[in-house]
Amino acid sequence: MLKLDNVSVSYGSFKALENVSLYAEQGELVVLLGSNGAGKSTLFKAVSGLVKVQEGSMEAAGTSILGKPPSFMVKKGIVQCAEGRMLFPAMTVLENLKMGSYVHRRDKKVQEEQLRNVYDLFPILQEKRKDPAGSLSGGQQQMVAIGRALMAKPSLLLLDEPSLGLAPLIVEQMFETISEINKTGVTVLLAEQNAHAALKISNRGYVLENGSVVMEGTQKELMNNEDIRKAYIGA
Ligand code: ATP
């Protein structure tokens, strides 16, 4: 589904990613762990075409996506839900959701189908569809952000820190929902500080440090790894 080989990204003379290689098979949920500044967001921006990749190769579903613009990535089914939600607070929940389906603007059937899926997943959003997005709680706003990404009908969903700033109970529900989305066949790449909860719903994962992959493994390998437990799980 997604394959990165020796990808490097620089901001000026600063190398934010250096020779990063990773893959996600169709239907997998792959976690990206790493502390603040490790390069997780940069990696997502590279895959969504928002930053330029200086070296390496990137493929999605067998074709090169290197150097392609974000519009191409979205048409290819690669959709990012950015850190910090980035909603339009004065617009209604429904208006925010509809923005996500811009790529399917000529296909009413797809739009309606995706909206139904989003409302099935997050019934509260149907209830609050006419409310300004900015009036919702943090957890509900995160639902809008994920819902908006789903409106584009992704085959690969990039989720950047979806649990950031949410209360523990809401975090738990959020991870359950992400797992549900993954079970519908959407491949998920999930960047998280909340390592334990993220690993619990994952198939595999990578650890990024200072722009490089320092570890990779299956869910079990990473959860049982002493260094990961100390650094990211705290047990
Ligand atoms: P966080 O969770 O805090 O967002 P992250 O792992 O996602 O961290 P990135 O945001 O990818 O990390 O940042 C990686 C490094 O690149 C950091 O040192 C950051 O300061 C730097 N960086 C990010 N964006 C830019 C930019 N536009 N210009 C210069 N440096 C940047």
Side-chain angles (χ1 to χ4, degrees), residues 4 85 99 120 126 185 221:
L4 271 59
R85 299 167 206 152
M99 286 223 198
D120 282 348
Q126 183 162 22
E221 283 164 352

Side-chain angles (χ1 to χ4, degrees), residues 86-100 128-136 141 144 148:
M86 311 268 188
L87 300 182
F88 296 92
M91 291 169 64
T92 66
V93 167
L94 181 58
E95 284 165 345
N96 271 275
L97 290 176
K98 278 189 170 168
M99 286 223 198
K128 301 212 171 234
R129 65 190 182 282
K130 291 179 184 156
D131 293 358
S135 71
L136 271 57
Q141 290 193 28
V144 179
R148 183 177 56 186

Side-chain angles (χ1 to χ4, degrees), residues 11 14-17 33-43 83 160-161 193 208-212 232:
Y11 298 113
F14 176 73
K15 257 199 167 164
L17 290 181
L33 302 177
S35 47
N36 282 334
K40 303 181 299 296
S41 300
T42 301
L43 181 75
E83 184 180 338
D160 198 354
E161 306 269 1
Q193 303 266 349
L208 266 186
E209 265 176 31
N210 298 318
S212 297
Y232 301 103

Side-chain angles (χ1 to χ4, degrees), residues 48 60 63-78:
S48 345
T63 48
S64 174
I65 54 167
L66 194 70
K68 302 288 188 199
S71 54
F72 177 91
M73 305 302 191
V74 176
K75 279 184 201 140
K76 194 98 185 117
I78 301 171

Side-chain angles (χ1 to χ4, degrees), residues 85 137-140 142 162-175 194:
R85 299 167 206 152
S137 71
Q140 291 165 352
Q142 187 60 59
S163 78
L164 201 70
L166 302 183
L169 190 65
I170 311 289
V171 168
E172 209 172 296
Q173 288 166 3
M174 187 58 68
F175 281 107
N194 207 328

Side-chain angles (χ1 to χ4, degrees), residues 9 11 41-53 58:
V9 173
Y11 298 113
S41 300
T42 301
L43 181 75
F44 279 5
K45 286 178 189 162
V47 176
S48 345
L50 292 164
V51 295
K52 192 166 173 255
V53 171
M58 292 198 301

